[in-house]
Amino acid sequence: KSGHSGTVIVLVVGLSGWGIQSQAGDWLTTHLRFTERPRADDERLGDWCRTHLPADARLIGPPGPKGLRLWARRPLMFNRAASPYHAAGLADWARRYCDHVGLAESSTLLAEAYLADRHGLEARYDALDADSLAALARRQGADHVVANAVLHESPESPALDRLHVEGTLAVYRVTTPAIGY
């Protein structure tokens, strides 16, 4: 081992004499992970999904953040960070990405939009209403949706049933069965 952990301990102990131990401890726990404890909304929601949803639950969620995928330990039907390394898988990944952000299925359009404004492209998912999210989930074979905690929903036909909220995100159960991709 390199001995860095000893340096950190000495640093914290040394700082305690200056009355800033809590600041150093806060910085360490914010920037380094010593225990398995979720920090962000997507991580906390993923942790809730892992402990409250069935093991065979399948989710869709925002394309970018990977905390949900890592913490939920449930299949996420698409995540930008989970791109495969073989042609057939990459083609399916690109189709799912286009579906998540409302682009025509074109690798060229996806690449151009991604390079021009990835954040704007992925924000299109956040703009989807409940009916659109439920339809996306059904197309991709998911039975749960992670999205904004507040969604525009048609009161006469609720497509999603909100199960749990963590900050700005919520997990919803799709009220109609998934049909697969």
Side-chain angles (χ1 to χ4, degrees):
K1 292 194 169 191
S2 65
H4 291 292
S5 58
T7 305
V8 171
I9 292 169
V10 168
L11 175 65
V12 172
V13 171
L15 291 175
S16 65
W18 293 345
I20 56 175
Q21 180 178 8
S22 65
Q23 290 175 347
D26 290 347
W27 183 89
L28 287 170
T29 57
T30 300
H31 293 87
L32 304 173
R33 299 222 181 180
F34 295 105
T35 62
E36 185 178 283
R37 186 172 36 198
R39 295 188 307 210
D41 290 348
D42 64 321
E43 294 174 354
R44 284 187 291 276
L45 194 60
D47 188 47
W48 185 91
C49 289
R50 178 183 56 199
T51 58
H52 290 84
L53 295 182
D56 62 348
R58 296 172 315 276
L59 300 101
I60 62 164
K66 51 188 170 180
L68 173 69
R69 177 176 61 92
L70 297 171
W71 283 87
R73 297 184 191 159
R74 300 289 182 270
L76 192 61
M77 304 317 286
F78 174 79
N79 185 257
R80 174 180 27 88
S83 62
Y85 293 98
H86 54 87
L90 194 54
D92 181 59
W93 176 89
R95 276 192 303 277
R96 290 176 186 273
Y97 199 163
C98 286
D99 200 15
H100 263 67
V101 298
L103 278 180
E105 290 185 15
S106 164
S107 298
T108 303
L109 287 176
L110 177 61
E112 289 171 355
Y114 185 91
L115 291 173
D117 183 12
R118 176 179 59 89
H119 297 290
L121 177 68
E122 293 181 355
R124 296 168 109 185
Y125 177 88
D126 296 328
L128 296 174
D129 63 17
D131 291 332
S132 300
L133 287 165
L136 173 64
R138 287 190 299 273
R139 284 193 305 274
Q140 295 201 3
D143 45 25
H144 291 81
V145 171
V146 172
N148 290 322
V150 178
L151 290 175
H152 179 266
E153 187 167 28
S154 169
E156 56 275 354
S157 74
L160 300 174
D161 179 29
R162 188 168 60 192
L163 301 176
H164 185 74
V165 175
E166 284 292 341
T168 61
L169 294 174
V171 64
Y172 301 84
R173 183 177 42 83
V174 178
T175 59
T176 54
I179 57 172
Y181 196 77

